[in-house]
Amino acid sequence: MASLQTLSKSFPGWIFFCCCCCLPLLTGSLPLKGASTAHHACRLRKINFQQPYIRNRTYTLAKTASALDKDTDNRLIGQQLFVNIRESNRCYLMKRVVEFVVKDVLLTEVKNQYPYVEEVAQFLASLTSELSSCQFSGKREHIEKNLEQMKNKMEQLGENGKTKAIGELDLLFDYMENACTDAPKKGGNKKKN
Amino acid sequence: VVENQDLQDSIKPQKVEFHSLNFNTTLHWQPGWAREARDALYFVQYKVYGQSTWQNKDECWAISSHVCDLTHETSAIQEPYYSRVRAALAGVYSSWSLSCRFTPWRETVIGPPMVTVVHSNKSITVRLQAPRSPYKRKRGSKIPMTNYYDLLYQVFIINNLLDEQHRVLVYEGKDKVIKIQDLRPGVSYCIVAKMYMLMLDRSSAYSSRQCTVP
């Protein structure tokens, strides 16, 4: 029927479009963005975030935990992480946050209390290992200070600290995506007015 | 006469939930279990997760309905929000009932596309329109949901001669106008369509069916 025709007609078209239009755009914008070449290691391919399976698992896990967290005032993953951090260092910072969450939250005794913890931990660990040669540039102090504040906040919250961190895995996922990939398709940049 | 504490508990709103379709977001709740709860008034507050102060929702302050529109308040669609409701009756206030955390971008339900069909002898031309968000461009037109997600149209054809329930996928992609060709003359066909969200592997409901008359 018409189905195969339409699909086979449009599919090469898309590839053609992507090769001709997107690649020059991407490569063309790189020299503008990355002033220093040191940060090329601080990039993740979009494909990492395009698997609905792990994205949905992460969101489900976060939802399960956040339903148990009644503290709406304190938030670990938010814009405060990026205070005084230049854009080129944000991916590095998120890498450090993810390393911390994997090691000190997900791979502790809580992993038996929630579904999908190990899968999500494995996925996050694969991201950080892909960023193994990602380093910061400039001064270290702001990065360390912001990380320290986040860790302290979690510790101050005691038992609920870990619940909160797991409940924010959806935020962690999105922040990592935004900081480490180029221009994700999201509403954020196309909000109303 | 019930004690104050009992009354407070018995009128406390239950099941406080966000419902969201194409970013049109409302808060819903159920009245407390007491029979008197029917006459209670409700008060709604909201905030972004992590803020320490709650904002009053003026349009939902001392209302008797069980729904509150928070579309405008939740327009930073990637932010996580909370809302809470309390009830009052005869000068007695219940404690607050808290919603779950709600992130519009992650949780809104995508509605089906609008479908129109024009048919000629052996083909059908299908026009598809993605659902619109409530948010407007500067010119005043509403921003379509395709601006916020990678969305594909899925178009299905139903051959009325064969089987009413049997839908065949004939197109998946981003084109807004497609042509289905090589159809049998003198046969009635129906078309339905869905939006498919790649990133979250979710689909909208089916559109209403549009049929051709032979």
Side-chain angles (χ1 to χ4, degrees):
Chain A
M1 207 148 60
S3 60
L4 279 176
Q5 254 186 1
T6 334
L7 279 175
S8 56
K9 259 183 199 161
S10 62
F11 190 58
W14 271 106
I15 295 179
F16 182 76
F17 170 79
C18 289
C19 293
C20 295
C21 304
C22 302
L23 283 180
L25 274 177
L26 279 177
T27 46
S29 66
L30 271 178
L32 289 172
K33 264 190 177 171
S36 78
T37 48
H39 290 287
H40 284 175
C42 296
R43 276 279 162 273
L44 288 170
R45 288 163 301 146
K46 270 179 90 173
I47 191 86
N48 285 302
F49 298 94
Q50 286 169 337
Q51 307 156 49
Y53 174 84
I54 196 67
R55 185 184 283 269
N56 283 331
R57 292 255 144 145
T58 310
Y59 287 178
T60 304
L61 171 55
K63 191 108 193 146
T64 311
S66 72
L68 303 172
D69 175 18
K70 299 299 176 200
D71 167 17
T72 64
D73 294 352
N74 291 295
R75 175 170 166 182
L76 303 172
I77 310 294
Q79 284 305 314
Q80 79 281 357
L81 275 173
F82 294 149
V83 170
N84 293 323
I85 307 292
R86 61 166 99 153
E87 199 148 334
S88 57
N89 277 333
R90 290 182 177 183
C91 183
Y92 172 77
L93 180 97
M94 287 315 298
K95 174 182 104 162
R96 295 279 306 275
V97 174
V98 169
E99 280 169 350
F100 166 73
V101 170
V102 169
K103 183 166 155 288
D104 289 24
V105 179
L106 296 180
L107 298 183
T108 61
E109 67 280 8
V110 300
K111 77 177 162 207
N112 304 318
Q113 294 164 29
Y114 299 97
Y116 315 139
V117 172
E118 284 182 36
E119 270 174 286
V120 173
Q122 223 165 61
F123 167 73
L124 292 174
S126 75
L127 295 185
T128 56
S129 75
E130 211 167 308
L131 291 171
S132 57
S133 53
C134 169
Q135 286 303 318
F136 66 95
S137 69
K139 280 195 232 159
R140 174 172 224 130
E141 51 188 305
H142 288 305
I143 297 174
E144 299 303 328
K145 188 176 144 215
N146 292 3
L147 278 170
E148 213 45 45
Q149 277 175 348
M150 191 211 82
K151 291 179 191 174
N152 288 343
K153 199 174 206 177
M154 195 187 99
E155 261 153 46
Q156 281 162 20
L157 296 171
E159 240 344 85
N160 197 45
K162 281 185 184 174
T163 310
K164 187 175 279 296
I166 298 173
E168 294 188 19
L169 283 171
D170 53 348
L171 295 169
L172 188 70
F173 189 102
D174 290 2
Y175 270 67
M176 186 80 166
E177 180 183 14
N178 286 334
C180 301
T181 67
D182 295 304
K185 169 101 177 180
K186 280 248 175 109
N189 46 358
K190 285 175 181 171
K191 259 180 322 215
K192 57 153 202 171
N193 295 337
Chain B
V1 180
V2 268
E3 294 291 319
N4 255 2
Q5 184 63 49
D6 289 344
L7 183 60
Q8 279 177 26
D9 293 345
S10 69
I11 62 171
K12 187 179 175 184
Q14 306 178 63
K15 291 192 179 169
V16 180
E17 289 169 358
F18 282 96
H19 294 189
S20 185
L21 176 65
N22 300 326
F23 297 131
N24 294 284
T25 299
T26 47
L27 191 73
H28 293 242
W29 58 90
Q30 292 180 2
W33 45 265
R35 220 148 55 90
E36 303 92 310
R38 279 182 308 194
D39 304 317
L41 294 178
Y42 297 96
F43 303 79
V44 174
Q45 290 185 327
Y46 65 92
K47 70 173 176 182
V48 171
Y49 174 44
Q51 289 177 346
S52 50
T53 51
W54 290 90
Q55 313 283 319
N56 295 344
K57 170 66 178 167
D58 291 338
E59 291 81 2
C60 306
W61 205 248
I63 56 168
S64 54
S65 95
H66 305 150
V67 182
C68 176
D69 189 335
L70 291 173
T71 300
H72 184 69
E73 287 68 22
T74 53
S75 60
I77 55 170
Q78 283 196 73
E79 287 293 333
Y81 293 92
Y82 277 102
S83 192
R84 61 182 191 176
V85 189
R86 72 169 168 179
L89 183 67
V92 174
Y93 285 83
S94 75
S95 56
W96 293 99
S97 292
L98 187 65
S99 73
C100 280
R101 194 183 299 163
F102 169 75
T103 309
W105 188 83
R106 240 167 264 153
E107 296 176 62
T108 200
V109 173
I110 307 288
M114 264 200 358
V115 180
T116 49
V117 298
V118 177
H119 82 286
S120 62
N121 193 20
K122 282 159 76 177
S123 69
I124 302 175
T125 302
V126 183
R127 280 174 202 284
L128 300 153
Q129 191 182 46
R132 314 252 137 195
S133 78
Y135 306 125
K136 290 180 180 166
R137 296 198 176 93
K138 287 200 178 113
R139 286 269 186 86
S141 63
K142 289 183 171 173
I143 301 172
M145 294 301 284
T146 43
N147 274 40
Y148 299 96
Y149 301 95
D150 260 320
L151 291 175
L152 302 179
Y153 297 106
Q154 290 180 333
V155 178
F156 302 82
I157 192 164
I158 302 162
N159 177 343
N160 282 349
L161 267 190
L162 292 174
D163 179 359
E164 270 290 297
Q165 296 309 312
H166 193 61
R167 304 180 177 100
V168 180
L169 180 71
V170 288
Y171 175 74
E172 182 175 71
K174 294 188 174 181
D175 295 346
K176 291 175 185 163
V177 181
I178 60 157
K179 195 167 184 183
I180 306 169
Q181 305 189 69
D182 304 327
L183 297 173
R184 266 204 264 168
V187 175
S188 163
Y189 292 94
C190 295
I191 301 289
V192 289
K194 283 202 269 196
M195 304 298 306
Y196 177 65
M197 193 197 290
L198 218 53
M199 183 113 58
L200 300 172
D201 188 25
R202 277 197 337 225
S203 293
S204 74
Y206 284 105
S207 67
S208 65
R209 56 163 69 192
Q210 303 294 315
C211 301
T212 65
V213 188

